[in-house]
Amino acid sequence: MREMDFTFAGRDGERIFVYKWCPEGKQPKAIVQIAHGLVETAARYRRVAEALTANGYLVYANDHRGHGQTASSLEEVGYWGEDGFNASVDNLAILTGIIKKENPGLPLFLFGHSMGSFFVQNYLTKYGEGLQGVILSGSNDSPGLALNLGIAIAKRELAKSGARPSSPKLHQLSFGAYNKGFEPARTPFDWLSRDEAEVDKYINDPYCGGIASVGLYYDLFCGLKETYKKKNRQRIPEDLPVYIFSGARDPVGRNGKGVRKLVRSYQKLGIKDLAYKIYPDGRHEMLNELNRDEVIKDLLTWLERQMTIE
């Protein structure tokens, strides 16, 4: 695998950092564009990129606003500026355009994990045409009234302190709650994976695991509410293949309940090619789980099937 990087101008002119991973010694047969999760970086997807490029896929993954190399400094990690949710979704679409221009005619799959999966869900309501397929990892459907509560709390925090400060209260409501199912826990991030080495790598990465800003949480919650509106979801192309996978003990997907609800929602929308898998005992980051080889093999099998469908 060959690795390179570049930047592009985002929706508001901001510099967006992108990793590009290329197959070694072969022409790519398709492209996978990756959208990473909250308070992590695209660099964490090198391992899945190794598997994808070994099988002939070209991989692009950008660091979102307020994350990784796109953030202007470590101090700016977790703050994504005004209207950051919508801007991040628009930036994914801008990158899609760049990818298509660089690789005319190659099929393109869009992969989103966790927060990235929510970006992708929103993306599909605006830019869903022209994709070969979509993969959602560590995702969820609408949490209902809990989302309204989160917006109300974030709005109060916003009025009190502004958008830039970090929000321990909102962090505790999300990340803190996620770990409750794993007490007594070795770390605050045991909910990510059963693989302790992977959890430790996340904790020791200065770009991962921080406390996001008030503005980020507010934008995220409001963006989710827009995503889940029926009138918006009805814009998702019915002929777009979708693959959803999750761990059975992933608190983001409500231990599989939210994932099954998402599947039912997409079925009601008439999405014709819809597949999903929930891995027993798996936690949030299935690509970093103990059975990650199985997960990646299943992903490659789904991708190959989409490549053979006329």
Side-chain angles (χ1 to χ4, degrees), residues 117-118 120-122 124-125 134 136 139-141 227-228 233 236-238 240 242-244 259-274:
S117 79
F118 300 128
V120 171
Q121 286 191 46
N122 187 272
L124 298 182
T125 69
V134 167
L136 301 175
S139 202
N140 194 11
D141 200 2
T227 301
Y228 296 133
R233 278 184 150 180
I236 300 174
E238 292 181 5
L240 180 66
V242 177
Y243 175 46
I244 303 170
V259 177
R260 292 186 180 93
K261 183 183 175 187
L262 179 61
V263 170
R264 291 194 298 271
S265 293
Y266 281 179
Q267 287 172 336
K268 289 176 183 176
L269 290 170
I271 293 176
K272 300 177 181 67
D273 188 344
L274 178 62

Side-chain angles (χ1 to χ4, degrees), residues 167-178:
S167 179
K169 178 183 286 188
L170 292 166
H171 177 85
Q172 184 59 31
L173 282 171
S174 55
F175 282 67
Y178 292 159

